[in-house]
Amino acid sequence: MDIKVWMYLVYLAVSIGLTIWVARALSRNGQVFLEEVFADERLARAVNNLLVVGFYLLNLGYVTVAMKHRDPVGSTSQAMEELSIKIGLVLLVLGALHFFNVFALSRYRRGRLRQLATHPPIAPIGRLPMQPGPQGAYPTAHPTGPLPTGPLPTGAQPGAGSTSQPPSR
């Protein structure tokens, strides 16, 4: 047989073996994560099976598309170099699919937990005093420091100025 045919056979064997091994490992170890994400064991199993099928379809589809090599392979060293590039790309695709799935499921989980939260993220410390203002006007800021001590300026009336109580009418 030609060197190129051997290269194809080794490529298919290694790629399919890696795909099956990674899919089983992700399925087995990802089940716990999916149960946490969906909070329903039956739904987690179903999603896990769908992810495995999609993983097989995408990866094996990539393996078969990337199998073709246009240039002739004249030596065993050229075949090994081409084989390492092809298998390296398969591993990169496997890793990218894995990280995309984990990212998407983490975002889904974070949104679900945010919806289930019943308390505010930060407990309220107190209330700000509301100052009544004129009818129809927007509230204005009033200083809340201590009242000034000492003599009043000329023309000033006691009770006017910066107080927390509204002036009496």
Side-chain angles (χ1 to χ4, degrees):
M1 273 199 284
D2 186 18
I3 292 177
K4 200 170 189 180
V5 174
W6 282 108
M7 182 183 79
Y8 286 154
L9 292 174
V10 171
Y11 169 69
L12 284 174
V14 170
S15 297
I16 291 171
L18 281 172
T19 300
I20 292 170
W21 175 70
V22 170
R24 286 184 178 171
L26 292 177
S27 174
R28 182 179 54 250
N29 297 319
Q31 182 69 32
V32 175
F33 179 71
L34 289 173
E35 287 173 5
E36 169 66 24
V37 168
F38 294 110
D40 179 8
E41 185 179 341
R42 192 170 150 236
L43 179 62
R45 269 195 318 264
V47 169
N48 196 12
N49 290 335
L50 291 173
L51 285 173
V52 168
V53 169
F55 183 80
Y56 279 133
L57 290 173
L58 281 171
N59 199 59
L60 294 176
Y62 174 77
V63 165
T64 56
V65 168
M67 188 169 82
K68 184 171 180 160
H69 183 67
R70 295 180 185 174
D71 299 330
V73 178
S75 67
T76 309
S77 63
Q78 277 183 322
M80 291 298 288
E81 289 170 1
E82 189 60 36
L83 192 59
S84 69
I85 290 171
K86 289 185 178 297
I87 291 174
L89 289 174
V90 168
L91 291 173
L92 289 173
V93 168
L94 285 170
L97 289 173
H98 171 66
F99 281 115
F100 173 75
N101 283 337
V102 169
F103 175 75
L105 290 170
S106 294
R107 289 198 47 134
Y108 176 81
R109 177 180 176 264
R110 202 173 324 137
R112 186 182 61 79
L113 290 177
R114 201 174 294 132
Q115 286 177 346
L116 294 176
T118 58
H119 53 79
I122 299 175
I125 296 171
R127 292 190 173 175
L128 296 175
M130 295 296 292
Q131 299 292 329
Q135 200 83 350
Y138 291 106
T140 59
H142 294 286
T144 57
L147 293 174
T149 57
L152 293 173
T154 309
Q157 297 177 1
S162 62
T163 64
S164 60
Q165 299 293 329
S168 58
R169 295 184 187 212

mmCIF file of all heavy atoms in Angstrom, residues 21-52:
data_model
loop_
_atom_site.group_PDB
_atom_site.id
_atom_site.type_symbol
_atom_site.label_atom_id
_atom_site.label_comp_id
_atom_site.label_asym_id
_atom_site.label_seq_id
_atom_site.Cartn_x
_atom_site.Cartn_y
_atom_site.Cartn_z
ATOM 1 N N TRP A 21 -12.995 8.532 23.071
ATOM 2 C CA TRP A 21 -12.480 8.645 24.439
ATOM 3 C C TRP A 21 -12.889 9.966 25.085
ATOM 4 O O TRP A 21 -13.367 9.990 26.225
ATOM 5 C CB TRP A 21 -10.960 8.503 24.422
ATOM 6 C CG TRP A 21 -10.346 8.725 25.769
ATOM 7 C CD1 TRP A 21 -10.424 7.919 26.861
ATOM 8 C CD2 TRP A 21 -9.569 9.855 26.168
ATOM 9 N NE1 TRP A 21 -9.732 8.463 27.915
ATOM 10 C CE2 TRP A 21 -9.205 9.660 27.513
ATOM 11 C CE3 TRP A 21 -9.147 11.009 25.510
ATOM 12 C CZ2 TRP A 21 -8.438 10.588 28.209
ATOM 13 C CZ3 TRP A 21 -8.379 11.906 26.211
ATOM 14 C CH2 TRP A 21 -8.042 11.697 27.543
ATOM 15 N N VAL A 22 -12.737 11.063 24.349
ATOM 16 C CA VAL A 22 -13.090 12.371 24.904
ATOM 17 C C VAL A 22 -14.599 12.478 25.125
ATOM 18 O O VAL A 22 -15.044 12.992 26.151
ATOM 19 C CB VAL A 22 -12.578 13.512 23.986
ATOM 20 C CG1 VAL A 22 -13.129 14.860 24.404
ATOM 21 C CG2 VAL A 22 -11.059 13.552 23.990
ATOM 22 N N ALA A 23 -15.393 11.972 24.185
ATOM 23 C CA ALA A 23 -16.852 12.040 24.340
ATOM 24 C C ALA A 23 -17.312 11.264 25.575
ATOM 25 O O ALA A 23 -18.159 11.742 26.334
ATOM 26 C CB ALA A 23 -17.540 11.505 23.093
ATOM 27 N N ARG A 24 -16.753 10.084 25.792
ATOM 28 C CA ARG A 24 -17.133 9.300 26.980
ATOM 29 C C ARG A 24 -16.702 9.989 28.272
ATOM 30 O O ARG A 24 -17.456 10.021 29.248
ATOM 31 C CB ARG A 24 -16.524 7.902 26.900
ATOM 32 C CG ARG A 24 -17.228 7.032 25.905
ATOM 33 C CD ARG A 24 -16.678 5.633 25.911
ATOM 34 N NE ARG A 24 -17.396 4.783 24.963
ATOM 35 C CZ ARG A 24 -17.022 3.584 24.648
ATOM 36 N NH1 ARG A 24 -15.945 3.045 25.196
ATOM 37 N NH2 ARG A 24 -17.721 2.891 23.786
ATOM 38 N N ALA A 25 -15.488 10.534 28.275
ATOM 39 C CA ALA A 25 -15.002 11.220 29.479
ATOM 40 C C ALA A 25 -15.849 12.450 29.778
ATOM 41 O O ALA A 25 -16.237 12.686 30.932
ATOM 42 C CB ALA A 25 -13.533 11.614 29.305
ATOM 43 N N LEU A 26 -16.167 13.239 28.754
ATOM 44 C CA LEU A 26 -16.982 14.430 28.966
ATOM 45 C C LEU A 26 -18.398 14.057 29.385
ATOM 46 O O LEU A 26 -18.990 14.718 30.240
ATOM 47 C CB LEU A 26 -17.014 15.288 27.701
ATOM 48 C CG LEU A 26 -15.701 15.961 27.307
ATOM 49 C CD1 LEU A 26 -15.857 16.706 25.996
ATOM 50 C CD2 LEU A 26 -15.216 16.883 28.403
ATOM 51 N N SER A 27 -18.943 13.020 28.799
ATOM 52 C CA SER A 27 -20.296 12.597 29.152
ATOM 53 C C SER A 27 -20.365 12.115 30.596
ATOM 54 O O SER A 27 -21.257 12.500 31.348
ATOM 55 C CB SER A 27 -20.738 11.481 28.207
ATOM 56 O OG SER A 27 -21.969 10.959 28.614
ATOM 57 N N ARG A 28 -19.405 11.295 30.980
ATOM 58 C CA ARG A 28 -19.394 10.729 32.335
ATOM 59 C C ARG A 28 -19.159 11.824 33.373
ATOM 60 O O ARG A 28 -19.883 11.920 34.366
ATOM 61 C CB ARG A 28 -18.324 9.646 32.419
ATOM 62 C CG ARG A 28 -18.240 8.943 33.743
ATOM 63 C CD ARG A 28 -17.173 7.847 33.753
ATOM 64 N NE ARG A 28 -15.866 8.338 33.339
ATOM 65 C CZ ARG A 28 -15.249 8.020 32.186
ATOM 66 N NH1 ARG A 28 -15.832 7.218 31.326
ATOM 67 N NH2 ARG A 28 -14.059 8.504 31.906
ATOM 68 N N ASN A 29 -18.171 12.658 33.160
ATOM 69 C CA ASN A 29 -17.827 13.672 34.153
ATOM 70 C C ASN A 29 -18.703 14.915 34.045
ATOM 71 O O ASN A 29 -18.819 15.673 35.012
ATOM 72 C CB ASN A 29 -16.352 14.052 34.017
ATOM 73 C CG ASN A 29 -15.452 12.875 34.300
ATOM 74 O OD1 ASN A 29 -15.693 12.101 35.211
ATOM 75 N ND2 ASN A 29 -14.428 12.716 33.495
ATOM 76 N N GLY A 30 -19.309 15.146 32.899
ATOM 77 C CA GLY A 30 -20.162 16.315 32.738
ATOM 78 C C GLY A 30 -21.565 16.117 33.272
ATOM 79 O O GLY A 30 -22.313 17.081 33.427
ATOM 80 N N GLN A 31 -21.944 14.881 33.565
ATOM 81 C CA GLN A 31 -23.296 14.607 34.068
ATOM 82 C C GLN A 31 -23.558 15.360 35.368
ATOM 83 O O GLN A 31 -24.623 15.956 35.538
ATOM 84 C CB GLN A 31 -23.481 13.100 34.272
ATOM 85 C CG GLN A 31 -24.852 12.702 34.743
ATOM 86 C CD GLN A 31 -25.916 12.904 33.693
ATOM 87 O OE1 GLN A 31 -25.668 12.777 32.506
ATOM 88 N NE2 GLN A 31 -27.111 13.236 34.130
ATOM 89 N N VAL A 32 -22.601 15.383 36.270
ATOM 90 C CA VAL A 32 -22.764 16.080 37.546
ATOM 91 C C VAL A 32 -22.947 17.578 37.306
ATOM 92 O O VAL A 32 -23.807 18.224 37.897
ATOM 93 C CB VAL A 32 -21.546 15.820 38.464
ATOM 94 C CG1 VAL A 32 -21.631 16.627 39.737
ATOM 95 C CG2 VAL A 32 -21.435 14.340 38.773
ATOM 96 N N PHE A 33 -22.139 18.129 36.415
ATOM 97 C CA PHE A 33 -22.240 19.549 36.081
ATOM 98 C C PHE A 33 -23.603 19.875 35.475
ATOM 99 O O PHE A 33 -24.241 20.864 35.840
ATOM 100 C CB PHE A 33 -21.114 19.929 35.112
ATOM 101 C CG PHE A 33 -21.131 21.353 34.680
ATOM 102 C CD1 PHE A 33 -20.798 22.370 35.558
ATOM 103 C CD2 PHE A 33 -21.487 21.679 33.388
ATOM 104 C CE1 PHE A 33 -20.817 23.685 35.152
ATOM 105 C CE2 PHE A 33 -21.504 22.995 32.972
ATOM 106 C CZ PHE A 33 -21.176 23.997 33.858
ATOM 107 N N LEU A 34 -24.080 19.024 34.578
ATOM 108 C CA LEU A 34 -25.375 19.272 33.940
ATOM 109 C C LEU A 34 -26.521 19.156 34.939
ATOM 110 O O LEU A 34 -27.509 19.886 34.837
ATOM 111 C CB LEU A 34 -25.588 18.306 32.776
ATOM 112 C CG LEU A 34 -24.708 18.554 31.556
ATOM 113 C CD1 LEU A 34 -24.885 17.442 30.535
ATOM 114 C CD2 LEU A 34 -25.015 19.895 30.934
ATOM 115 N N GLU A 35 -26.417 18.251 35.899
ATOM 116 C CA GLU A 35 -27.448 18.151 36.932
ATOM 117 C C GLU A 35 -27.492 19.428 37.764
ATOM 118 O O GLU A 35 -28.567 19.878 38.159
ATOM 119 C CB GLU A 35 -27.206 16.929 37.818
ATOM 120 C CG GLU A 35 -27.526 15.620 37.126
ATOM 121 C CD GLU A 35 -27.138 14.401 37.944
ATOM 122 O OE1 GLU A 35 -26.698 14.557 39.107
ATOM 123 O OE2 GLU A 35 -27.275 13.289 37.414
ATOM 124 N N GLU A 36 -26.340 20.019 38.024
ATOM 125 C CA GLU A 36 -26.293 21.294 38.755
ATOM 126 C C GLU A 36 -26.858 22.424 37.905
ATOM 127 O O GLU A 36 -27.581 23.283 38.395
ATOM 128 C CB GLU A 36 -24.843 21.601 39.162
ATOM 129 C CG GLU A 36 -24.624 22.990 39.691
ATOM 130 C CD GLU A 36 -25.319 23.266 41.016
ATOM 131 O OE1 GLU A 36 -25.600 22.310 41.753
ATOM 132 O OE2 GLU A 36 -25.573 24.437 41.291
ATOM 133 N N VAL A 37 -26.553 22.414 36.626
ATOM 134 C CA VAL A 37 -27.017 23.479 35.736
ATOM 135 C C VAL A 37 -28.537 23.444 35.599
ATOM 136 O O VAL A 37 -29.199 24.472 35.710
ATOM 137 C CB VAL A 37 -26.346 23.364 34.344
ATOM 138 C CG1 VAL A 37 -27.024 24.260 33.323
ATOM 139 C CG2 VAL A 37 -24.877 23.701 34.432
ATOM 140 N N PHE A 38 -29.097 22.267 35.354
ATOM 141 C CA PHE A 38 -30.526 22.166 35.068
ATOM 142 C C PHE A 38 -31.378 21.845 36.286
ATOM 143 O O PHE A 38 -32.595 21.960 36.213
ATOM 144 C CB PHE A 38 -30.771 21.122 33.976
ATOM 145 C CG PHE A 38 -30.202 21.534 32.648
ATOM 146 C CD1 PHE A 38 -29.105 20.891 32.126
ATOM 147 C CD2 PHE A 38 -30.756 22.575 31.936
ATOM 148 C CE1 PHE A 38 -28.571 21.258 30.908
ATOM 149 C CE2 PHE A 38 -30.228 22.966 30.721
ATOM 150 C CZ PHE A 38 -29.138 22.300 30.203
ATOM 151 N N ALA A 39 -30.779 21.401 37.382
ATOM 152 C CA ALA A 39 -31.496 21.062 38.613
ATOM 153 C C ALA A 39 -32.579 20.013 38.370
ATOM 154 O O ALA A 39 -33.595 19.979 39.057
ATOM 155 C CB ALA A 39 -32.095 22.312 39.265
ATOM 156 N N ASP A 40 -32.373 19.167 37.364
ATOM 157 C CA ASP A 40 -33.314 18.094 37.049
ATOM 158 C C ASP A 40 -32.504 16.966 36.415
ATOM 159 O O ASP A 40 -31.924 17.139 35.337
ATOM 160 C CB ASP A 40 -34.383 18.609 36.080
ATOM 161 C CG ASP A 40 -35.396 17.542 35.693
ATOM 162 O OD1 ASP A 40 -35.368 16.443 36.274
ATOM 163 O OD2 ASP A 40 -36.209 17.821 34.792
ATOM 164 N N GLU A 41 -32.470 15.816 37.076
ATOM 165 C CA GLU A 41 -31.610 14.715 36.615
ATOM 166 C C GLU A 41 -32.037 14.187 35.245
ATOM 167 O O GLU A 41 -31.199 13.910 34.387
ATOM 168 C CB GLU A 41 -31.633 13.589 37.642
ATOM 169 C CG GLU A 41 -30.685 12.467 37.314
ATOM 170 C CD GLU A 41 -30.701 11.374 38.363
ATOM 171 O OE1 GLU A 41 -31.155 11.625 39.483
ATOM 172 O OE2 GLU A 41 -30.262 10.260 38.030
ATOM 173 N N ARG A 42 -33.323 14.078 35.011
ATOM 174 C CA ARG A 42 -33.806 13.565 33.723
ATOM 175 C C ARG A 42 -33.452 14.504 32.578
ATOM 176 O O ARG A 42 -32.994 14.063 31.522
ATOM 177 C CB ARG A 42 -35.319 13.363 33.824
ATOM 178 C CG ARG A 42 -35.893 12.594 32.687
ATOM 179 C CD ARG A 42 -37.347 12.226 32.980
ATOM 180 N NE ARG A 42 -38.022 12.155 31.709
ATOM 181 C CZ ARG A 42 -39.090 12.827 31.372
ATOM 182 N NH1 ARG A 42 -39.657 13.621 32.257
ATOM 183 N NH2 ARG A 42 -39.629 12.709 30.192
ATOM 184 N N LEU A 43 -33.643 15.787 32.787
ATOM 185 C CA LEU A 43 -33.292 16.775 31.769
ATOM 186 C C LEU A 43 -31.781 16.804 31.547
ATOM 187 O O LEU A 43 -31.310 16.903 30.404
ATOM 188 C CB LEU A 43 -33.791 18.164 32.179
ATOM 189 C CG LEU A 43 -33.478 19.315 31.234
ATOM 190 C CD1 LEU A 43 -34.137 19.086 29.883
ATOM 191 C CD2 LEU A 43 -33.940 20.621 31.844
ATOM 192 N N ALA A 44 -31.007 16.670 32.612
ATOM 193 C CA ALA A 44 -29.547 16.658 32.492
ATOM 194 C C ALA A 44 -29.071 15.462 31.662
ATOM 195 O O ALA A 44 -28.172 15.605 30.824
ATOM 196 C CB ALA A 44 -28.905 16.632 33.883
ATOM 197 N N ARG A 45 -29.676 14.291 31.884
ATOM 198 C CA ARG A 45 -29.307 13.111 31.085
ATOM 199 C C ARG A 45 -29.639 13.315 29.614
ATOM 200 O O ARG A 45 -28.859 12.963 28.723
ATOM 201 C CB ARG A 45 -30.018 11.869 31.611
ATOM 202 C CG ARG A 45 -29.242 11.115 32.650
ATOM 203 C CD ARG A 45 -29.819 9.714 32.879
ATOM 204 N NE ARG A 45 -31.278 9.686 32.915
ATOM 205 C CZ ARG A 45 -32.009 9.733 34.029
ATOM 206 N NH1 ARG A 45 -31.418 9.787 35.185
ATOM 207 N NH2 ARG A 45 -33.323 9.697 33.968
ATOM 208 N N ALA A 46 -30.805 13.875 29.349
ATOM 209 C CA ALA A 46 -31.222 14.098 27.959
ATOM 210 C C ALA A 46 -30.288 15.097 27.268
ATOM 211 O O ALA A 46 -29.856 14.875 26.131
ATOM 212 C CB ALA A 46 -32.665 14.609 27.920
ATOM 213 N N VAL A 47 -29.974 16.177 27.945
ATOM 214 C CA VAL A 47 -29.063 17.173 27.368
ATOM 215 C C VAL A 47 -27.677 16.573 27.184
ATOM 216 O O VAL A 47 -27.012 16.818 26.170
ATOM 217 C CB VAL A 47 -29.021 18.450 28.251
ATOM 218 C CG1 VAL A 47 -27.902 19.376 27.824
ATOM 219 C CG2 VAL A 47 -30.349 19.172 28.176
ATOM 220 N N ASN A 48 -27.243 15.764 28.130
ATOM 221 C CA ASN A 48 -25.936 15.121 28.023
ATOM 222 C C ASN A 48 -25.880 14.234 26.780
ATOM 223 O O ASN A 48 -24.903 14.265 26.029
ATOM 224 C CB ASN A 48 -25.660 14.310 29.286
ATOM 225 C CG ASN A 48 -24.209 13.947 29.432
ATOM 226 O OD1 ASN A 48 -23.333 14.467 28.734
ATOM 227 N ND2 ASN A 48 -23.922 13.055 30.359
ATOM 228 N N ASN A 49 -26.931 13.447 26.552
ATOM 229 C CA ASN A 49 -26.969 12.589 25.357
ATOM 230 C C ASN A 49 -26.982 13.411 24.073
ATOM 231 O O ASN A 49 -26.308 13.065 23.099
ATOM 232 C CB ASN A 49 -28.183 11.658 25.406
ATOM 233 C CG ASN A 49 -28.035 10.598 26.476
ATOM 234 O OD1 ASN A 49 -26.932 10.240 26.864
ATOM 235 N ND2 ASN A 49 -29.155 10.102 26.971
ATOM 236 N N LEU A 50 -27.735 14.501 24.069
ATOM 237 C CA LEU A 50 -27.752 15.366 22.885
ATOM 238 C C LEU A 50 -26.397 16.008 22.636
ATOM 239 O O LEU A 50 -25.961 16.131 21.479
ATOM 240 C CB LEU A 50 -28.825 16.448 23.035
ATOM 241 C CG LEU A 50 -30.264 15.970 22.982
ATOM 242 C CD1 LEU A 50 -31.214 17.109 23.316
ATOM 243 C CD2 LEU A 50 -30.575 15.394 21.618
ATOM 244 N N LEU A 51 -25.717 16.417 23.698
ATOM 245 C CA LEU A 51 -24.385 16.998 23.547
ATOM 246 C C LEU A 51 -23.387 15.976 22.996
ATOM 247 O O LEU A 51 -22.533 16.311 22.173
ATOM 248 C CB LEU A 51 -23.881 17.559 24.880
ATOM 249 C CG LEU A 51 -24.510 18.873 25.327
ATOM 250 C CD1 LEU A 51 -24.060 19.217 26.736
ATOM 251 C CD2 LEU A 51 -24.165 19.998 24.372
ATOM 252 N N VAL A 52 -23.497 14.735 23.449
ATOM 253 C CA VAL A 52 -22.593 13.688 22.957
ATOM 254 C C VAL A 52 -22.835 13.437 21.472
ATOM 255 O O VAL A 52 -21.890 13.346 20.687
ATOM 256 C CB VAL A 52 -22.763 12.390 23.784
ATOM 257 C CG1 VAL A 52 -22.072 11.222 23.118
ATOM 258 C CG2 VAL A 52 -22.212 12.588 25.177
#
